[in-house]
Amino acid sequence: MKWFWTALLVISSLSLLVVLFRNRGSLEFLRRFALHLILAALALYAVNYSGLLSGWEIPLNATTVGTVMVLGLPGVALIAGLKAVLF
């Protein structure tokens, strides 16, 4: 039974990759997503090590990077505000 689920996972993953590479629009989406992810991580890294928030450090994890990726720089302010109020 374990082999069945493994084979099903492999086949479905390969099918998904075929569909993604066949459509040019999906590649553009993946590029944009990767660019936003990298820029969000760099923004958090810059805020942490620039000294703008002295004594505070915003962790680089999936939640914080995702928030900054969706909201942009206001997301950094949101996370800093939540850290100030909650912790």
Side-chain angles (χ1 to χ4, degrees), residues 1-81:
M1 193 66 170
K2 185 177 181 180
W3 289 103
F4 171 76
W5 291 112
T6 304
L8 185 66
L9 174 68
V10 169
I11 291 170
S12 64
S13 297
L14 289 175
S15 300
L16 178 63
L17 287 175
V18 166
V19 169
L20 283 176
F21 286 120
R22 190 174 288 176
N23 294 336
R24 292 291 172 204
S26 61
L27 287 178
E28 183 63 32
F29 170 75
L30 289 176
R31 284 187 198 125
R32 187 180 293 166
F33 178 79
L35 179 66
H36 282 227
L37 184 71
I38 291 168
L39 289 176
L42 287 175
L44 284 175
Y45 183 79
V47 167
N48 280 337
Y49 294 106
S50 68
L52 290 174
L53 301 174
S54 60
W56 287 359
E57 187 171 315
I58 298 173
L60 286 172
N61 56 32
T63 305
T64 57
V65 171
T67 302
V68 174
M69 192 171 75
V70 171
L71 298 176
L73 289 178
V76 176
L78 172 74
I79 293 170

